[in-house]
Structure formats: C-alpha cells, structure tokens
Amino acid sequence: MIGALAAAMVGFLDLFAIPARTPAFRTALVHMTLNLLVTAAYAVNFLWRHGTYTGGGSVGPGMLVLSAVSFALLGVSGFLGGKLAYRYGVRVADENTQAEGYTPGAGAGNARPAA
C-alpha cells in the first residue's frame, strides 16, 4: 500500500506534465482513478479480512468478489498505463512519438500528424 501511494505521488506529478484535453490526459485520468479505486479496494479488503479472521476460517464470497473485481480493475489500469508509456510515450519518448496523445481532440487512429 505504501508503494502504491508513492507511485501515485510520482504519477500525479507526471499528470501535470500532460496537456489538458488530449487523449493522453484523458487516459491518464482514467488510469489514476482506477489505481486509486484499486488501492482503496485492497485496503478495504485487507481490513475486512483482518476483522473477520477467526483462526483459519473460510473466506466469504463477498471477499472473493471484491478481490476479483479489484484484480480485474488493476488489469485494466495496467493496460492504460502501458498505453500511456508505449503508445503515447508519456515521460519516456521524444515529442514526435508523443504527438498522437498530445494532440487536442485527437481520437484513436486518426491522430498521426502529417510529416
């Protein structure tokens, strides 16, 4: 959890480097929101499990569902993080690579600038 919060602080600083109203910014907002939701869900799940621990009893279906949903959201967030880095080049590539994600109003597939 401490690692997630440290990563969130660095990611929040990266978010400020992305121009608003661009595909990269929208993707980053969804990525950040999902990561914060997943972190909160894992914290709730931990406290829920810790509070009902009775010396080796079974895990209830609600706890399993929360774990599964958290894991699925984490996968979607990871995909979006990969999209930010590998497609839009956020904080890892030169300006030409980042152009698609940094063009205001650009949609998927039609944002390649003319050379």
Side-chain angles (χ1 to χ4, degrees):
M1 180 119 143
I2 293 170
L5 294 176
M9 288 189 298
V10 173
F12 198 63
L13 292 174
D14 285 346
L15 181 65
F16 286 125
I18 302 171
R21 294 187 298 272
T22 61
F25 188 78
R26 287 189 297 274
T27 302
L29 282 178
V30 174
H31 173 69
M32 178 187 70
T33 301
L34 288 176
N35 278 339
L36 292 174
L37 286 173
V38 167
T39 301
Y42 276 121
V44 166
N45 201 355
F46 172 79
L47 294 173
W48 188 9
R49 288 173 186 242
H50 187 272
T52 60
Y53 180 72
T54 58
S58 64
V59 175
M63 294 176 195
L64 289 176
V65 168
L66 182 57
S67 292
V69 168
S70 299
F71 188 70
L73 290 176
L74 186 62
V76 172
S77 180
F79 170 79
L80 293 175
K83 183 177 180 179
L84 285 168
Y86 293 105
R87 181 170 179 187
Y88 296 141
V90 173
R91 305 290 284 178
V92 296
D94 63 2
E95 287 79 15
N96 289 332
T97 304
Q98 295 178 15
E100 179 181 355
Y102 283 47
T103 304
N110 63 353
R112 294 277 179 208

